[in-house]
């Protein structure tokens, strides 16, 4: 009977050691919620592992800049800028480049709403590779100039049939004496939309100015470069923090385990001396329990 008692006590002690001694000390830490949540990354379709300065999905608003919020729609990453929704084609953290395509022009050259792509927030900027092209709508069906780098196409928007016209030349002087005719014709069009494309896509459109080639160039999208307290974020990450944004103060915030800081999670002298921050080995409560139980067993053996 006494042997069974000792065996049960020993098994119980081993169970406690396995369960608690090897659990990392961080499991008991009461880390700041923002620090924990901003450690999650945005994943959607082919766009994976996206962190600051973007928020969205599992990343709360305070984890990224308010003008760089991502959404996931049918496994397509999207970002809304002003009134337009863009499909995200890629995100390059090294060059801080966001590759996008206007969702309304991804499949159709005649979108429901005719809106320019001229406005972008201060946190974003166009690259030197971006080129604007202009598409005209509601143009006269007759009298369109027949010119190189230009074409006329039929279009239906909201059940309204109309004529569209496109020219890939931004400088009409290339048309010589026909430039004035083109200017007069385009002045009669009701609407026009500027859409950015990459320089390589524009070159292809110039070589073959067709609706198919134009739509293909639009689908390739264009690039935007972001600038959102990137140097502050590097300082924050190097100190063990998670980058974020304080919308109340409209400023960068570095989320640390014990709370937010302005830019870094460097320990203060008091924190560095705190037992909870001491990295040296310490005796856990489970080991104390083991030693105590071991002494009890030994005493029981001697008195038996």
């Amino acid at each position: 009977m006494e042997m069974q008692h000792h065996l049960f006590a020993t098994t119980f002690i081993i169970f406690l050691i396995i369960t608690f001694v090897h659990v990392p000390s961080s499991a008991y830490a009461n880390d700041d919620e923002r620090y924990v949540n901003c450690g999650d990354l945005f994943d959607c379709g082919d766009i994976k592992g996206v962190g600051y300065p973007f928020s969205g999905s599992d990343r709360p608003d305070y984890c990224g800049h308010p003008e760089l919020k991502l959404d996931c729609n049918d496994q397509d990453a999207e970002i809304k800028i002003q009134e337009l929704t863009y499909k995200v084609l890629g995100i390059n953290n090294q060059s801080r480049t966001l590759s996008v395509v206007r969702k309304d022009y991804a499949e159709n050259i005649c979108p429901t709403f005719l809106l320019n792509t001229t406005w972008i927030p201060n946190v974003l900027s166009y690259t030197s590779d971006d080129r604007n092209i202009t598409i005209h709508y509601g143009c006269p069906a007759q009298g369109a100039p027949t010119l190189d780098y230009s074409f006329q196409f039929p279009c239906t928007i909201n059940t309204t049939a109309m004529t569209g016209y496109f020219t890939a030349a931004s400088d009409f002087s290339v048309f010589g004496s026909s430039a004035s005719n083109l200017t007069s014709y385009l002045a009669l069009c009701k609407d026009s939309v500027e859409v950015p494309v990459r320089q390589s896509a524009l070159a292809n459109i110039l070589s073959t100015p067709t609706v198919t080639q134009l739509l293909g160039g639009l689908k390739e999208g264009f690039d935007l470069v972001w600038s959102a307290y990137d140097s502050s974020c590097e300082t924050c990450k190097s100190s063990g923090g998670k980058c974020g944004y304080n919308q109340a103060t409209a400023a960068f915030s570095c989320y640390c385990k014990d709370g937010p800081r302005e830019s870094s999670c460097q320990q203060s002298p008091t924190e560095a001396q705190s037992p909870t921050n001491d990295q040296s080995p310490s005796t856990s409560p489970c080991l104390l329990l083991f030693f105590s139980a071991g002494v009890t067993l030994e005493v029981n053996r001697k008195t038996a």
Side-chain angles (χ1 to χ4, degrees):
M1 186 69 178
E2 183 179 352
M3 180 64 69
Q4 292 179 347
H5 173 73
H6 290 167
L7 180 61
F8 173 80
T10 303
T11 303
F12 179 71
I13 293 169
I14 294 175
F15 170 77
L16 291 177
I17 294 173
I18 295 175
T19 304
F20 295 104
V21 172
H22 296 288
V23 175
S25 59
S26 60
Y28 299 98
N30 187 21
D31 292 343
D32 183 81
E33 180 182 16
R34 290 157 294 188
Y35 171 85
V36 175
N37 291 339
C38 292
D40 294 332
L41 300 177
F42 177 89
D43 290 331
C44 180
D46 296 332
I47 307 299
K48 300 184 182 298
V50 179
Y52 183 86
F54 299 94
S55 63
S57 294
D58 293 333
R59 292 177 55 79
D61 292 345
Y62 52 74
C63 293
H65 195 281
E67 294 174 331
L68 297 176
K69 183 176 181 179
L70 300 175
D71 293 309
C72 189
N73 185 11
D74 292 332
Q75 292 303 300
D76 285 335
E78 297 178 350
I79 183 170
K80 190 170 184 178
I81 303 176
Q82 196 69 348
E83 299 177 353
L84 293 173
T85 300
Y86 298 81
K87 178 181 177 181
V88 178
L89 303 178
I91 295 177
N92 189 322
N93 289 313
Q94 297 300 319
S95 60
R96 299 188 176 96
T97 302
L98 175 68
S99 299
V100 297
V101 58
R102 279 183 54 160
K103 189 176 180 180
D104 54 350
Y105 275 102
E107 302 294 340
N108 187 9
I109 199 174
C110 300
T112 303
F113 302 102
L114 301 177
L115 300 171
N116 282 329
T117 323
T118 54
W119 187 92
I120 57 174
N122 293 331
V123 70
L124 294 172
S125 59
Y126 292 108
T127 71
S128 59
D129 189 52
D130 296 330
R131 296 291 185 272
N132 274 335
I133 60 176
T134 304
I135 308 172
H136 301 267
Y137 297 91
C139 302
Q142 305 297 325
T146 302
L147 303 169
D148 291 337
Y149 317 135
S150 304
F151 62 88
Q152 191 179 52
F153 60 92
C155 197
T156 299
I157 298 178
N158 295 328
T159 70
T160 300
M162 64 181 68
T163 298
Y165 191 89
F166 164 76
T167 176
S170 58
D171 184 1
F172 289 177
S173 63
V174 298
F175 299 120
S177 60
S178 299
S180 60
N181 292 336
L182 177 59
T183 301
S184 299
Y185 173 78
L186 294 179
L188 298 176
C189 300
K190 294 181 179 179
D191 295 289
S192 64
V193 175
E194 288 187 344
V195 185
V197 295
R198 291 189 174 92
Q199 185 172 350
S200 58
L202 180 59
N204 292 332
I205 296 170
L206 287 171
S207 64
T208 311
T210 64
V211 171
T212 301
Q213 194 70 38
L214 173 59
L215 186 57
L218 295 176
K219 291 174 66 174
E220 290 183 24
F222 59 98
D223 297 328
L224 295 169
V225 178
W226 75 75
S227 177
Y229 305 98
D230 302 296
S231 59
S232 297
C233 184
E234 291 300 324
T235 301
C236 175
K237 289 193 296 184
S238 64
S239 69
K242 305 294 174 59
C243 303
Y245 189 88
N246 187 330
Q247 299 196 25
T249 60
F252 174 83
S253 184
C254 182
Y255 299 122
C256 310
K257 289 185 177 182
D258 57 351
R261 310 280 178 84
E262 288 187 3
S263 61
S264 175
C265 295
Q266 296 295 338
Q267 292 179 336
S268 66
T270 304
E271 291 172 329
Q273 297 173 4
S274 173
T276 58
N277 292 306
D278 188 1
Q279 299 299 319
S280 60
S282 60
T283 304
S284 70
C286 297
L287 290 177
L288 292 176
L289 175 61
F290 171 74
F291 293 142
S292 176
V295 172
T296 302
L297 286 175
E298 187 65 27
V299 172
N300 287 339
R301 289 175 183 172
K302 289 182 179 181
T303 57

